[in-house]
Amino acid sequence: MKTVAFYTLGCKVNQYETEAVSELFADNGYTVVPFADAADYYIINTCSVTAMSDKKSRQMIRRAKKTNPDAVIAVMGCYSQTAPDEVLDIEGVNLVLGTKDKASVINLVSDLSNADKLNAVTSVNDNHTFEELTVRRCADRTRAYIKIQDGCSQFCSYCIIPYARGPVRSRREDDIQGEVKTLADAGYKEVILTGIHAASYGSDLGDTSLAALLNKIDKTDGIRRIRLSSIEPMTLNREFVKEIKDCKKLCPHFHISLQSGCDETLRRMNRHYTTDQFAEIVGGLREHFPDCAITTDIMTGFVGETDEEFGKTLEFIKKIQFADAHIFQYSPRRGTPAARRKGQVQASVKDARAKAVAAAVERSRDAFLQRHIGRAVEVLFETRAADGLFEGKTVNYINVHAPSDENIGGEFRTVRLDRHSDGIMYGEIIG
C-alpha cells in the first residue's frame, strides 16, 4: 500500500483543501502518514502571502526530499501558481500544480517517478467555476472548516492573492449545507466558514449572499456554533448586521481585516474604507452583539508609511480596543503595484513598528480578558493542554484552560473564569 504525507502552509482555505485532497488519497487506497515519516509521496500545499511564506515552502520541500530521496514530491498552492518555474527548479520537486484542479493531483502523481518533472499550472484569470472539494472529517474533532468561496477581485496594492487565486467563485448553497450536515452527523459541534474573500460570497451567483447562507446554516440540526473566518469591513454594515443578528448559532467573534489605522496608508493600499467607517462598523457590531470579540490583521512598514502615519495606527488600536490581532511586516510581492513603488521602509523600522503594535494589542487584549473575570461561560473543549488542564474556546474565541481528571475533549462545559495570563483565561469547571 502506497503512503502519502501532507504539509500545509498559510491560510484556513489551504488547510481545508489539504484535508479534502488527503481524503481523496485515503479513499483510493493510500495510507496517510505524518509528514516527518518516510513516504512514497509528499504533497506540499504552499502559501505566498509573504516572502517568509515562500521561504518556508522551499524549506519543507527540501525536508521531504531529505526524509525520503526516492519519494515523488508534488507542490501545489499559491506559491506554485505565481512562480511555477521557480518551484519546479527546486531539487526533488516532480510536480507543480497551482490553485486550480487540486483533485487531479492524485492521478498526476501516480504516473510520475522521482526523476520526472511536470508543470501542470494553468492560468487562473479565466477561472469562473468553483472547484468542488468536500471534507467529511478533520484533524480537529470538535471544529471543522468549510470552504464557501475562492478567489478575490479586490486587488489591494500589496497583495499577490488575486493573481494566485483568480476571480471570485462561490460554492453552491446546497453543497455547503450538505457538507455542514455531514460534519454535524460525524459529531462536529462547530463549523468555521472560510474563503479567500468570504465577504464576497454569492456576488457571482446572484441569488444568495453571505447573510442568507448564515441564516440557512443556522437551521442545521447538530451544529452548535457557526463561526466566520476573516471578513472585509464594509461587508459588516448595518444592513448585514440586521440580517444576521437573529442567527442563534453565530459566534460573536468577528475577525475584520484592518491593515492600517491611517487613512492615507489605506488609500495607498487600495483598501476600500476609511478608519471612520471601520469604527462605525465595529460600533454597530458591539451594539447588536454585546461582548463580541473584534480581532484583526495589522501590517507595519507599508510602502511610504511615515512615523506620523504609524502613530495614527497606534492611536486607532487604542480607540477600537481589539481582542487580538495578527501582525505582519509588509513584504514586497513581485508583480504587485506596491512592490514597484519608491519609499520602501527599512526592515529594522518594520520590526520596531511590529513590536510597538504587538504591545498595544496586548494591552487591549488584556483589558478585554479582564472584563470576563468572574463570569460563567460555555467552553467547547478541544485538547489536553498541560498539567491536567484542557483547552477550549468560548463563543467569542477566548482561549480557556481548566483542570479536569476526565477527558472532556469535544464537550461543552460551563467554566467560571478567575484569571488570565499571556492571552489565556483560566477557570474552574462548574457545570
Side-chain angles (χ1 to χ4, degrees):
M1 188 176 287
K2 296 290 187 180
T3 56
V4 59
F6 294 85
Y7 194 90
T8 308
L9 298 106
C11 66
K12 305 305 184 185
V13 170
N14 268 12
Q15 292 180 30
Y16 175 92
E17 291 170 346
T18 298
E19 292 276 5
V21 173
S22 175
E23 286 189 15
L24 284 175
F25 274 86
D27 290 345
N28 282 274
Y30 291 77
T31 298
V32 179
V33 300
F35 189 77
D37 290 3
D40 298 307
Y41 301 94
Y42 290 93
I43 315 296
I44 300 166
N45 197 358
T46 62
C47 174
S48 194
V49 72
T50 65
M52 184 57 69
S53 303
D54 291 353
K55 180 180 179 180
K56 185 66 179 294
S57 298
R58 294 190 292 269
Q59 288 174 343
M60 302 319 296
I61 292 165
R62 295 184 179 112
R63 183 177 299 179
K65 181 66 175 177
K66 184 177 180 180
T67 304
N68 183 8
D70 297 325
V72 171
I73 299 176
V75 184
M76 61 186 189
C78 292
Y79 180 30
S80 297
Q81 184 70 48
T82 56
D85 294 335
E86 180 179 309
V87 174
L88 196 61
D89 282 343
I90 300 172
E91 182 184 0
V93 174
N94 305 108
L95 169 67
V96 179
L97 190 70
T99 57
K100 290 174 59 181
D101 305 320
K102 285 188 169 68
S104 68
V105 66
I106 189 169
N107 295 322
L108 292 171
V109 298
S110 64
D111 293 330
L112 295 176
S113 74
N114 69 345
D116 292 326
K117 291 276 189 178
L118 175 62
N119 182 350
V121 175
T122 57
S123 173
V124 295
N125 293 332
D126 57 352
N127 189 13
H128 297 285
T129 303
F130 183 89
E131 181 184 6
E132 184 63 29
L133 294 169
T134 59
V135 168
R136 301 188 305 274
R137 54 191 176 270
C138 301
D140 187 330
R141 288 297 304 170
T142 58
R143 307 162 72 229
Y145 289 96
I146 296 179
K147 180 181 171 184
I148 64 169
Q149 177 274 340
D150 205 341
C152 179
S153 303
Q154 296 297 297
F155 289 96
C156 298
S157 64
Y158 54 82
C159 188
I160 195 66
I161 299 307
Y163 307 94
R165 287 281 179 169
V168 169
R169 288 99 65 203
S170 300
R171 190 177 183 185
R172 292 193 320 120
E173 272 188 358
D174 289 348
D175 292 331
I176 297 170
Q177 289 181 272
E179 186 164 298
V180 172
K181 185 66 169 61
T182 297
L183 291 165
D185 292 343
Y188 292 92
K189 307 295 195 305
E190 178 179 316
V191 293
I192 301 127
L193 306 186
T194 189
I196 295 300
H197 192 261
S200 64
Y201 176 79
S203 61
D204 57 320
L205 299 178
D207 59 351
T208 187
S209 66
L210 182 58
L213 177 66
L214 286 169
N215 278 285
K216 289 181 180 178
I217 296 175
D218 192 60
K219 297 178 176 63
T220 303
D221 293 334
I223 293 296
R224 293 270 296 271
R225 291 179 179 178
I226 305 166
R227 197 178 299 275
L228 286 171
S229 61
S230 180
I231 195 164
E232 289 296 297
M234 297 309 290
T235 302
L236 298 169
N237 56 42
R238 291 190 178 274
E239 183 60 33
F240 180 85
V241 171
K242 183 179 178 181
E243 291 183 61
I244 66 170
K245 65 181 178 65
D246 293 327
C247 288
K248 296 179 176 59
K249 300 174 183 177
L250 180 63
C251 293
H253 165 222
F254 302 95
H255 188 87
I256 316 170
S257 186
L258 172 64
Q259 303 300 351
S260 174
C262 171
D263 289 341
E264 292 87 346
T265 309
L266 289 172
R267 280 195 292 272
R268 292 199 303 277
M269 289 179 168
N270 196 35
R271 302 289 288 173
H272 305 290
Y273 53 86
T274 65
T275 52
D276 283 346
Q277 288 172 320
F278 191 101
E280 182 181 354
I281 284 162
V282 170
L285 287 169
R286 286 174 170 159
E287 179 183 336
H288 289 285
F289 299 94
D291 292 323
C292 67
I294 306 294
T295 57
T296 195
D297 303 308
I298 298 174
M299 180 188 297
T300 66
F302 184 64
V303 185
E305 184 184 62
T306 65
D307 288 341
E308 181 182 358
E309 289 178 348
F310 177 67
K312 292 180 181 179
T313 291
L314 290 179
E315 286 299 314
F316 194 69
I317 293 170
K318 184 178 179 181
K319 174 181 178 179
I320 297 297
Q321 289 291 294
F322 293 105
D324 210 344
H326 295 151
I327 302 162
F328 303 87
Q329 297 179 38
Y330 168 69
S331 177
R333 301 281 73 207
R334 182 177 54 203
T336 62
R340 299 189 293 268
R341 292 177 185 167
K342 296 179 180 179
Q344 301 291 331
V345 177
Q346 291 183 350
S348 59
V349 175
K350 294 179 190 177
D351 186 59
R353 290 176 181 173
K355 290 176 180 174
V357 168
V361 170
E362 182 177 340
R363 287 191 291 271
S364 64
R365 179 201 69 198
D366 287 351
F368 176 75
L369 296 179
Q370 186 68 27
R371 292 198 298 272
H372 288 76
I373 288 180
R375 296 185 185 181
V377 297
E378 184 182 69
V379 177
L380 174 55
F381 282 97
E382 300 169 24
T383 58
R384 192 182 297 277
D387 300 327
L389 300 176
F390 271 81
E391 177 180 358
K393 297 287 194 302
T394 65
V395 286
N396 55 355
Y397 211 62
I398 295 174
N399 191 5
V400 176
H401 288 196
S404 176
D405 294 330
E406 59 180 309
N407 186 346
I408 55 173
E411 296 184 14
F412 288 92
R413 294 296 179 89
T414 302
V415 178
R416 189 175 300 282
L417 304 175
D418 54 33
R419 64 187 177 90
H420 64 87
S421 176
D422 295 328
I424 298 172
M425 292 288 308
Y426 295 85
E428 296 293 328
I429 296 173
I430 60 174

